[in-house]
Amino acid sequence: MVSVGTHRRGAGVGRRAVAGLLAAAAVTAACTDTGDPAPVPTPSPDESSEPAPSGVQVAVVLATGGGPTLPTADVEQRLAELAAERVGDIARIRPVVIDEADFVPDTAALLADGGADLVCVIGGPAVRTVLDLADRFPASRFCALGAPRDDLPPNVDLLELDHEALGHVLGVAAAELAGDRPVGLILGGDSEDRTRRRAGTRAALAASPVVIDAAVEDVGDATDLVTGLDEEVEPAVVVVDTASTSVADVVAAIADAWIGPADLTTDVPAAIAWSVRVDAIVAAAVDRLVTPDDPDLPTRLGFGEGVFTLAFGEGVADRVRDATRIAADEFARGARDPLRAVTRPRPTADDDDDQDDQDDQDDQDDVGP
């Protein structure tokens, strides 16, 4: 199923028709010269049309089915806000949401043929689609998510998401959440990107007391994973590779809290839900179209470009929120390596007791006789 908007055209055709009539009138006057100059027709105020908005026409094809997809939220609203913020650069953004990946190539082709200056394809066979359409529609520019390469057509941009940084931040949050019961960390079902998130997660959890790292394919696997946990060894972070709602329900049931993609709904709400902002991807592609000679424009998008969103659930402690935001900010500033292992272990319960005793002693010293 494909949901599309309308496409406004025709203003240019009207102007060309007027120009043609004026040219014909000039030729007729020259051939039947009576000595008096022919009057030049001028449109009356009520005949003038509203000028077309300046900027590029952008189309976004978002595949939401037919395979693993990135979790997104409020796509149409945020794209509308982007168009309003970038008046002059963007004339209009037309989102097209598709629930069947097979329809992606034809939909993108129709949008390019309809006059879109930029067509961004997200989800489904995105890279293959934009590469196939580049030669057919040289006047349009195309973008998709994928690893940049040197042999791209001149009208194609591949933008890469910093999944390692996202995984690292999720690992920091999981380590802070770990308490008396395990914390479930669900990395999603898109295999290639999930592998990259897992690399960042492993680095963030390198110093955590217990991490169970497993690929979970079905509910039986999840149940075996749960029953195999050593209840006397706490805390634990359970990292699973899945986007299945049924499996996530099992993970959430045994976890004190769980972290996962925003489009994964379970009986127990997520403590932290992550998603990808499509408008940030489109904004980066627009930048590359309107300022093609800027060498500093990024092809790798992460926290610095605002492409990841982390939504905290109710009851999440301030220390968890603060640690997560600090890590995300460090990545935004380029001050942290997502693959560098965290070597400072999270304080245990005994460490907390020792610190409380020290704080009490400090208070006594401060008060003093």
Side-chain angles (χ1 to χ4, degrees):
M1 176 179 178
V2 182
S3 64
V4 300
T6 58
H7 186 70
R8 296 180 56 193
R9 304 186 66 186
V13 174
R15 286 194 293 271
R16 288 194 295 271
V18 171
L21 291 174
L22 291 178
V27 171
T28 302
C31 294
T32 59
D33 187 6
T34 61
D36 297 324
V40 178
T42 56
S44 59
D46 59 341
E47 292 176 345
S48 62
S49 59
E50 182 180 347
S54 60
V56 297
Q57 296 283 346
V58 181
V60 181
V61 180
L62 179 64
T64 61
T69 59
L70 287 171
T72 57
D74 305 323
V75 173
E76 294 188 6
Q77 176 184 342
R78 285 176 170 168
L79 288 176
E81 293 172 353
L82 174 63
E85 292 169 1
R86 300 287 298 270
V87 172
D89 288 338
I90 300 174
R92 182 190 178 204
I93 300 180
R94 181 187 182 188
V96 181
V97 180
I98 300 177
D99 58 11
E100 291 292 342
D102 291 342
F103 297 150
V104 167
D106 288 342
T107 303
L110 286 172
L111 292 167
D113 190 45
D117 301 297
L118 173 65
V119 179
C120 288
V121 182
I122 300 174
V127 174
R128 185 174 72 249
T129 296
V130 299
L131 292 177
D132 289 345
L133 296 181
D135 289 338
R136 290 176 55 191
F137 302 99
S140 296
R141 195 168 187 88
F142 298 89
C143 81
L145 294 178
R149 55 183 81 169
D150 295 331
D151 58 344
L152 288 176
N155 58 334
V156 171
D157 288 314
L158 293 186
L159 303 174
E160 188 176 26
L161 300 188
D162 192 352
H163 288 284
E164 291 86 354
L166 173 61
H168 193 109
V169 171
L170 297 178
V172 168
E176 289 293 332
L177 277 170
D180 295 336
R181 299 177 66 195
V183 170
L185 176 53
I186 299 173
L187 293 177
D190 46 338
S191 58
E192 182 177 351
D193 294 339
R194 184 191 65 224
T195 300
R196 294 174 53 200
R197 288 193 289 271
R198 172 187 286 271
T201 297
R202 283 176 170 169
L205 294 172
S208 295
V210 178
V211 178
I212 293 91
D213 192 353
V216 177
E217 300 295 337
D218 54 34
V219 175
D221 289 343
T223 304
D224 292 342
L225 178 64
V226 172
T227 56
L229 293 177
D230 186 347
E231 296 180 356
E232 296 182 359
V233 181
E234 300 289 352
V237 177
V238 181
V239 183
V240 297
D241 285 356
T242 184
S244 165
T245 299
S246 58
V247 173
D249 278 331
V250 175
V251 174
I254 61 94
D256 181 58
W258 70 278
I259 301 169
D263 59 352
L264 190 61
T265 57
T266 69
D267 295 336
V268 180
I272 302 175
W274 62 270
S275 60
V276 174
R277 292 190 58 163
V278 173
D279 58 309
I281 300 170
V282 174
V286 170
D287 288 339
R288 300 186 70 81
L289 176 60
V290 300
T291 55
D293 297 328
D294 188 344
D296 297 326
L297 292 177
T299 57
R300 188 177 179 90
L301 310 178
F303 286 100
E305 293 71 32
V307 77
F308 298 126
T309 296
L310 303 177
F312 296 89
E314 295 183 4
V316 176
D318 288 341
R319 63 177 176 79
V320 177
R321 296 171 183 260
D322 292 343
T324 305
R325 287 168 176 161
I326 288 172
D329 181 65
E330 288 179 348
F331 283 116
R333 294 184 288 108
R336 193 163 184 159
D337 182 355
L339 300 181
R340 183 175 181 178
V342 174
T343 57
R344 182 176 60 86
R346 181 180 179 275
T348 63
D350 292 339
D351 293 334
D352 291 340
D353 292 341
D354 293 341
Q355 184 62 48
D356 291 340
D357 293 340
Q358 182 62 48
D359 292 341
D360 293 341
Q361 183 62 47
D362 292 342
D363 291 341
Q364 293 174 9
D365 293 342
D366 290 339
V367 174

